[in-house]
Amino acid sequence: MELYSRTADPVIMDLILSSFLTQHFLSTTALRREFKRLALAESAMKRLKNYTFSGNVRELQNTLERAAILSGGRTILPEHLVFSQKDEI
């Protein structure tokens, strides 16, 4: 019997994406990479919210860090968000 589901509850993921963890990961990436103007466009946030993460917080962190690099340390746009190929939306 499976004790937990690997798919995160969409309500919980919505709270996580739109709040603490997203801002935390963006802030730490900006500090570590010395990006002074890193931001997340509203359209990119919508794309993040529409993606079904497997419940792995590291996947969110890696996705945001990759997007920050692709954006050149400026505003992250939807096209900067790269998800794993098998789970691409």
Side-chain angles (χ1 to χ4, degrees), residues 18-46:
S18 61
S19 63
F20 174 74
L21 281 179
T22 299
Q23 288 306 313
H24 171 73
F25 291 147
L26 289 175
S27 295
T28 57
T29 298
L31 285 172
R32 188 170 51 252
R33 301 226 175 239
E34 298 181 2
F35 293 149
K36 301 204 183 299
R37 297 174 51 200
L38 186 61
L40 184 66
E42 189 174 322
S43 55
M45 178 61 86
K46 286 180 185 176

Side-chain angles (χ1 to χ4, degrees), residues 21-80:
L21 281 179
T22 299
Q23 288 306 313
H24 171 73
F25 291 147
L26 289 175
S27 295
T28 57
T29 298
L31 285 172
R32 188 170 51 252
R33 301 226 175 239
E34 298 181 2
F35 293 149
K36 301 204 183 299
R37 297 174 51 200
L38 186 61
L40 184 66
E42 189 174 322
S43 55
M45 178 61 86
K46 286 180 185 176
R47 184 156 188 234
L48 275 174
K49 287 181 179 181
N50 288 330
Y51 179 74
T52 303
F53 286 91
S54 64
N56 186 340
V57 175
R58 282 190 217 157
E59 183 182 2
L60 172 62
Q61 181 179 17
N62 292 338
T63 298
L64 290 170
E65 184 159 2
R66 185 180 311 114
I69 293 166
L70 291 173
S71 76
R74 298 191 183 266
T75 300
I76 296 171
L77 303 173
E79 56 266 24
H80 298 133

Side-chain angles (χ1 to χ4, degrees), residues 76-87:
I76 296 171
L77 303 173
E79 56 266 24
H80 298 133
L81 296 169
V82 179
F83 302 107
S84 62
Q85 289 181 0
K86 68 177 184 169
D87 296 327

Side-chain angles (χ1 to χ4, degrees), residues 5-20:
S5 171
R6 287 204 33 95
T7 304
D9 183 310
V11 174
I12 293 172
M13 285 310 296
D14 185 46
L15 291 172
I16 290 172
L17 288 171
S18 61
S19 63
F20 174 74

